[in-house]
């Protein structure tokens, strides 16, 4: 699938994203996250690895949209200490 992240075009394939993230330990974080296999990663971590760009160069929304289009489930990680009612849940387009 062709997408643009931080003004650069990328041809992303779901299996290649899964392969890139295989063996990578998810970072702790809050905000946008994606489930790849059995692990949940912050989308900025995934974006950095699949684009080889600095995290400051793209937004979490750009990567989230691309990952959803590839068929991954994206969600919002809760802020530590926040009530479950404040959790936004799954993200969809």
């Amino acid at each position: 699938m062709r997408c643009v992240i931080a003004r650069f075009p990328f041809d992303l394939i779901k299996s290649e994203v899964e392969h890139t993230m295989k063996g990578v330990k998810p970072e702790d974080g809050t905000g946008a996250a994606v489930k790849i296999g059995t692990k949940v990663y912050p989308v900025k971590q995934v974006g950095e690895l699949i684009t080889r760009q600095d995290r400051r160069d793209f937004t979490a929304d750009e990567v989230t949209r691309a990952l959803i289009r590839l068929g991954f489930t994206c969600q919002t990680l809760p802020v530590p200490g926040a009530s479950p009612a404040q959790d936004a849940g799954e993200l969809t387009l």
Side-chain angles (χ1 to χ4, degrees), residues 18-19 24 28-29 35-37 39 49-50 54 60 65 81 83 87 89-90 92-93:
E18 292 168 333
H19 179 73
V24 176
D28 293 332
K35 185 174 183 181
I36 300 176
K39 298 177 183 174
L49 292 172
I50 64 175
D54 189 285
R65 282 191 297 271
S83 69
D87 183 15
E90 279 190 15
T92 58
L93 288 180

Side-chain angles (χ1 to χ4, degrees), residues 40-88:
V40 177
Y41 297 90
V43 294
K44 286 281 207 164
Q45 179 183 10
V46 175
E48 183 176 54
L49 292 172
I50 64 175
T51 67
R52 294 184 177 94
Q53 294 180 321
D54 189 285
R55 295 177 194 204
R56 296 172 290 184
D57 294 339
F58 56 84
T59 67
D61 287 341
E62 289 176 294
V63 178
T64 299
R65 282 191 297 271
L67 292 171
I68 288 172
R69 285 180 55 203
L70 283 173
F72 290 104
T73 300
C74 293
Q75 60 192 35
T76 301
L77 294 175
V79 176
S83 69
Q86 295 172 331
D87 183 15

